[in-house]
Amino acid sequence: MFGLKRRRRLRLAALPFPEAWLAIVRRHVPYYRCLTAEDQAELHRHIQIFLAEKRFEGCDGLVITDEIRVTIAAQACILLLHRDTGYYPSLRTILVYPSQYVAPAKRQLPGGVVLEGPDRRLGESWHRGSVVLSWRDVQAGAADSTDGHNVVYHEFAHQLDSESGAIEGAPALATRAMYDEWSRTFGREFQALTSDLAQHRQTLLGPYAATSPPEFFAVATEVFFERPREMLARHPDLYHQLSRYFQQDPAARVIACYGCLPAPGAMVVA
């Protein structure tokens, strides 16, 4: 079974990347221009395999097109560059709404109070089976690759988180020592963020990252790829943990792409 899958993936990766897909990536994923030619070629291979293995379904009347499929796949596969990957093995289906959608939600407040009701969402990730996305927010996140917000990075980071067997803010790592170092760094950074928010200090990651360790990892992934120079300057230990896991150095990539321009200065004010 595994040999068949590997051979099928090798065949898919060897196919020419369709010109129509390349035009979509260039038009809708400006971050693609910052990749080296080698990384672009690797991304093409990942996209071909991803699209062959995942099913897309439109919701609320949205008709799925290659523009939607390729735009989402390109961003999801940026997280896979330079690493051995199972292509989000638990994921089967990407559900895409035209824009933000309403889903039932349950929140537990201090004191044991539980609130239930509808919640407007940009996306969500289910531990087994599906990712749900708002197409309008996918487009917005891809179009501005420096604002620190990308719903595809966020929801697919949750998929990576689940590969460790539990969604707890730590993806699958190679050794116990790496887990220990990850836990120390992320725990320290999470506590520092909650303290900064309590003191109404400016933060790079923002309040949503402080809601739970899994959300912290997902938001940190967004910022790592979209505001890497700021993360490296303000949170070097966090940056280096993410760089080692993703096997990428987006801060160097951005400098090579744009030159040593001043880093965008927007911070989130709690």
Side-chain angles (χ1 to χ4, degrees):
M1 177 65 179
F2 294 109
L4 288 174
K5 178 178 284 189
R6 182 176 182 276
R7 288 195 293 273
R8 184 175 67 249
R9 287 175 172 174
L10 288 172
R11 287 196 300 269
L12 288 166
L15 293 173
F17 195 69
E19 286 296 327
W21 291 8
L22 181 58
I24 292 169
V25 175
R26 286 173 170 168
R27 183 166 64 250
H28 291 294
V29 187
Y31 188 77
Y32 175 82
R33 296 192 293 267
C34 288
L35 301 178
T36 64
E38 291 79 6
D39 285 352
Q40 289 177 354
E42 181 184 345
L43 183 64
H44 296 169
R45 296 191 293 271
H46 288 328
I47 292 171
Q48 305 229 83
I49 295 168
F50 183 97
L51 290 178
E53 295 186 355
K54 311 304 179 186
R55 184 173 72 252
F56 285 74
E57 294 183 9
C59 303
D60 280 358
L62 182 68
V63 176
I64 295 296
T65 63
D66 277 356
E67 179 182 21
I68 292 172
R69 296 170 69 246
V70 173
T71 300
I72 292 171
Q75 294 171 85
C77 290
I78 285 170
L79 306 189
L80 306 181
L81 291 173
H82 303 174
R83 300 189 297 117
D84 290 334
T85 175
Y87 294 95
Y88 306 104
S90 296
L91 177 64
R92 299 291 177 266
T93 307
I94 297 97
L95 305 172
V96 189
Y97 284 83
S99 58
Q100 293 182 25
Y101 58 96
V102 177
K106 180 185 292 186
R107 290 184 297 164
Q108 184 164 349
L109 302 179
V113 176
V114 176
L115 292 181
E116 296 188 36
D119 182 35
R120 296 197 65 82
R121 296 183 180 176
L122 285 66
E124 58 190 298
S125 176
W126 300 346
H127 178 44
R128 297 231 176 244
S130 300
V131 162
V132 189
L133 297 166
S134 155
W135 172 233
R136 181 178 298 171
D137 291 284
V138 168
Q139 291 175 293
D144 188 344
S145 59
T146 64
D147 65 355
H149 301 292
N150 185 299
V151 67
V152 177
Y153 291 165
H154 186 104
E155 301 307 338
F156 280 86
H158 284 313
Q159 288 290 311
L160 294 174
D161 189 355
S162 71
E163 290 179 12
S164 65
I167 302 176
E168 55 189 3
L173 302 172
T175 67
R176 180 73 254 175
M178 291 176 68
Y179 275 111
D180 290 343
E181 187 176 349
W182 182 282
S183 179
R184 286 193 298 271
T185 299
F186 273 71
R188 183 173 63 249
E189 294 283 351
F190 185 83
Q191 292 300 320
L193 176 62
T194 58
S195 176
D196 286 341
L197 292 169
Q199 299 298 318
H200 303 286
R201 291 190 286 262
Q202 289 183 332
T203 67
L204 180 62
L205 298 183
Y208 193 64
T211 57
S212 69
E215 296 302 343
F216 184 89
F217 170 57
V219 172
T221 297
E222 294 180 80
V223 176
F224 174 73
F225 282 100
E226 293 222 334
R227 302 182 68 86
R229 288 174 295 169
E230 294 96 316
M231 178 179 278
L232 180 58
R234 293 173 62 90
H235 304 281
D237 292 342
L238 182 61
Y239 183 92
H240 289 305
Q241 284 294 317
L242 290 166
S243 183
R244 183 165 68 169
Y245 169 68
F246 284 110
Q247 294 295 299
Q248 298 186 56
D249 186 359
R253 180 183 288 155
V254 168
I255 290 172
C257 184
Y258 297 116
C260 295
L261 299 175
M267 293 291 169
V268 178
V269 180

